[in-house]
Amino acid sequence: MMGALTERYELGPIRPPSEANSLLIRVTRNCSWNRCRFCHVYKGEKFQLRSVEEIKQDIRTARVIQDKIKELARKSGYGGNLREAAAMLCGNLPNDAYRNVALWLYAGGKSAFLQDANTLIMKTGELVEVIKFLKETFPSISRITSYARSKTAAKKSVAELVELREAGLSRLHIGLESGYDPVLQFMDKGVTAADHITGGSNVVESGISLSEYVILGMGGRGMWREHAIATARVLSEINPDFIRVRTMTINQRMPLHNDVESGKFIRQTDEEIAAEEKLMIENLECHSYFVSDHIINLLSEVEGKLPEDKEKMLAVISRFQALSPEERDNFKVGRRFGIYSRLDDLNDASRRDEVNRVMERVGLNGDGNIDEMLYSLMERYV
Ligand code: SF4
C-alpha cells in the first residue's frame, strides 16, 4: 500500500514554532541577505527565486498527497475521522512532504506557511498569483503566513501589501532582533532601526497581522542597556500585533561564535538577560501581545497583552530576581533540562529533587561553571 505513495515536493529548513501545524510551501530558496552573524540557517546556501509554475506544481503535488491520505483514511475504516487517520499514518509515511500534509490535516487543515526567509522579495503580482492558487487548491485554508525582512517590507508600498492581504496573506513574521543601530550593524543585519519602523509600519497599515521577533541578549554585555531601550522604542513605533522574544544562543556554525572566541562579543548570563528584558518591557508603549514561545527562553511566563499585563509580566522577572543565587541556579538548570517550565515548578519537591540530582551528576557545584554549561545546553535548541 505504502509503495504507491511516492509523491514529494520541496520543503525548506525552518518555520516559526507557531506554524508547526501549517502546510509548508517553499516559494523561495534560502535567504536573500544571508549575512547576519547570529544566524546559521542558510549559510553556504545560495538564494533563489522559484518560478510561479514550479511553486504551483508543488501545490498540486500537496493536493495529490492530501487526496491520497483521505483515501487511505477512508479505506482504513476511519471514514470521516481524518484527524485520527492522519495521526495513525503520521509515523508511517514515506517522506517529509507526506508527513507535513498529514500533520496539517491532523491540525484541521486551515493554515499554510510560505517558506523561506524573505517571501516578500517576490514580485507582488507573482506572490498574489501563488497565494490565490494555494487558496483555490485548498479551500480549507483560511490563514497564510510567511517570513519577511523589514528592508523588503519597507520597499513594498502599502497598496501592494493590501493587494497581498486581499489575496489571502494573513500574517508576516519579521526578525527585528534589535532596534539599536550599532547592534544591528555589529550583527550585519543589513537593516537600520528606521528600516524596521518603515517596514513594520507598512505591514501594520496594510492590515496584515505582524509578528516581530526580538533577540534578548543581542547587545551582549557591552550594549545591553541601549539594545533594550532602543528596541522598545522601535517596537512602540511599529505597534505590531505580536512581539516574540528569543534568547541569544550561539553555536559554532554562526559567524558570531568567532566574536565570542575573540572577546569582541561577551555573552550575558540569564540574570543579565532578565534585567534586560525587564528594561525593555518597562519601556514598551504599545498594544501588542508579548509572547515567549520558545524553549530557549528562561522565563516562559513573561507573556501577556500590553499594556494591561505589563505589571504582571514585570512581576515574573522580579520574582526570579528575588530568588537566592542557589535557587536561581536550580531554576536555570531545571528549565534548560526541560524539568521546569515555570517558576512555580520550584515548589514541586519531586521536580526539585530531580534537578538537584542532575546538578550533582553533571558536577554543577556552584563553582561558577553553570553559565558555560547552560550556553552549551541551549545550543541543542538552535
Ligand atoms: S535575514 Fe534572517 S534568515 Fe537571513 S541571515 Fe538574517 S536572520 Fe538569517
Side-chain angles (χ1 to χ4, degrees):
M1 182 176 68
M2 289 296 164
L5 308 181
T6 52
E7 300 78 7
R8 57 172 72 231
Y9 55 89
E10 194 169 322
L11 292 169
I14 60 165
R15 42 88 189 136
S18 55
E19 305 297 335
N21 296 324
S22 293
L23 182 70
L24 303 176
I25 299 295
R26 194 176 204 187
V27 300
T28 65
R29 294 189 183 99
N30 309 310
C31 175
S32 55
W33 175 248
N34 214 9
R35 284 169 54 176
C36 302
R37 299 190 70 71
F38 56 89
C39 172
H40 67 272
V41 180
Y42 304 102
K43 293 285 184 285
E45 303 294 333
K46 201 165 160 274
F47 171 73
Q48 284 178 313
L49 289 165
R50 299 186 75 204
S51 71
V52 171
E53 191 40 48
E54 201 180 349
I55 303 163
K56 281 184 174 177
Q57 192 47 46
D58 276 1
I59 295 171
R60 286 187 199 104
T61 306
R63 174 64 198 245
V64 171
I65 292 176
Q66 175 206 255
D67 294 345
K68 284 198 173 183
I69 291 177
K70 283 185 174 175
E71 180 63 9
L72 271 175
R74 200 182 55 76
K75 284 189 179 153
S76 317
Y78 284 95
N81 196 342
L82 198 53
R83 268 180 68 84
E84 211 176 309
M88 184 274 293
L89 289 167
C90 244
N92 195 26
L93 289 168
N95 60 49
D96 286 346
Y98 264 89
R99 280 186 285 279
N100 176 233
V101 175
L103 193 65
W104 167 73
L105 285 171
Y106 176 76
K110 293 193 165 39
S111 293
F113 180 75
L114 308 179
Q115 298 175 299
D116 283 344
N118 186 22
T119 298
L120 279 191
I121 202 157
M122 279 179 78
K123 285 188 183 139
T124 303
E126 292 190 356
L127 187 50
V128 164
E129 194 179 336
V130 165
I131 292 169
K132 285 187 173 164
F133 186 74
L134 180 59
K135 291 194 77 167
E136 280 160 25
T137 311
F138 295 102
S140 67
I141 290 179
S142 55
R143 176 178 170 277
I144 298 175
T145 73
S146 195
Y147 281 134
R149 294 187 71 225
S150 291
K151 192 100 174 176
T152 313
K155 286 184 188 152
K156 290 269 184 213
S157 67
V158 174
E160 284 177 290
L161 292 165
V162 167
E163 213 185 317
L164 289 165
R165 176 179 57 73
E166 286 173 351
L169 184 63
S170 332
R171 175 172 301 161
L172 285 169
H173 298 269
I174 291 184
L176 182 134
E177 336 293 10
S178 177
Y180 188 51
D181 280 335
V183 169
L184 293 168
Q185 218 171 351
F186 179 81
M187 293 293 172
D188 209 358
K189 179 69 191 168
V191 296
T192 61
D195 294 328
H196 276 323
I197 293 171
T198 309
S201 304
N202 282 355
V203 175
V204 170
E205 198 181 329
S206 74
I208 294 173
S209 168
L210 176 63
S211 259
E212 292 275 9
Y213 290 73
V214 170
I215 299 187
L216 302 173
M218 197 175 216
R221 282 221 177 121
M223 295 190 273
W224 73 270
R225 201 176 281 278
E226 295 85 349
H227 167 58
I229 294 171
T231 302
R233 180 187 70 81
V234 169
L235 286 168
S236 302
E237 284 217 33
I238 299 171
N239 195 25
D241 301 86
F242 297 91
I243 297 168
R244 292 189 143 93
V245 289
R246 305 282 179 263
T247 302
M248 175 58 90
T249 305
I250 303 166
N251 65 34
Q252 297 192 3
R253 289 165 291 160
M254 299 172 181
L256 187 59
H257 187 261
N258 296 334
D259 301 323
V260 173
E261 297 279 288
S262 70
K264 266 167 78 182
F265 184 83
I266 300 175
R267 287 186 279 198
Q268 292 157 265
T269 62
D270 276 322
E271 281 82 352
E272 289 166 341
I273 286 179
E276 173 189 311
E277 187 174 22
K278 195 174 191 183
L279 184 62
M280 181 177 78
I281 293 172
E282 280 167 351
N283 281 276
L284 280 171
E285 300 292 339
C286 53
H287 293 78
S288 315
Y289 281 97
F290 191 98
V291 184
S292 178
D293 58 347
H294 203 291
I295 184 79
I296 53 175
N297 296 333
L298 181 74
L299 300 170
S300 61
E301 310 145 82
V302 182
E303 286 202 326
K305 174 81 171 74
L306 292 164
E308 49 268 45
D309 293 331
K310 191 189 258 198
E311 291 312 315
K312 193 187 83 187
M313 288 155 59
L314 292 172
V316 174
I317 302 176
S318 299
R319 187 176 161 200
F320 170 72
Q321 291 174 322
L323 296 173
S324 69
E326 294 73 28
E327 282 176 310
R328 283 202 302 270
D329 282 351
N330 183 285
F331 183 73
K332 284 153 54 175
V333 173
R335 173 83 181 124
R336 265 56 197 260
F337 273 92
I339 300 166
Y340 296 144
S341 56
R342 10 187 350 106
L343 285 170
D344 274 347
D345 293 340
L346 278 168
N347 302 326
D348 181 328
S350 67
R351 287 193 209 211
R352 201 157 170 151
D353 284 349
E354 195 183 341
V355 176
N356 286 333
R357 281 197 298 277
V358 166
M359 290 178 78
E360 222 168 279
R361 195 177 70 232
V362 296
L364 292 173
N365 47 15
D367 290 346
N369 53 1
I370 283 192
D371 294 315
E372 283 303 321
M373 195 216 61
L374 292 175
Y375 292 144
S376 43
L377 258 183
M378 286 164 70
E379 278 182 31
R380 295 181 310 177
Y381 298 118
V382 292

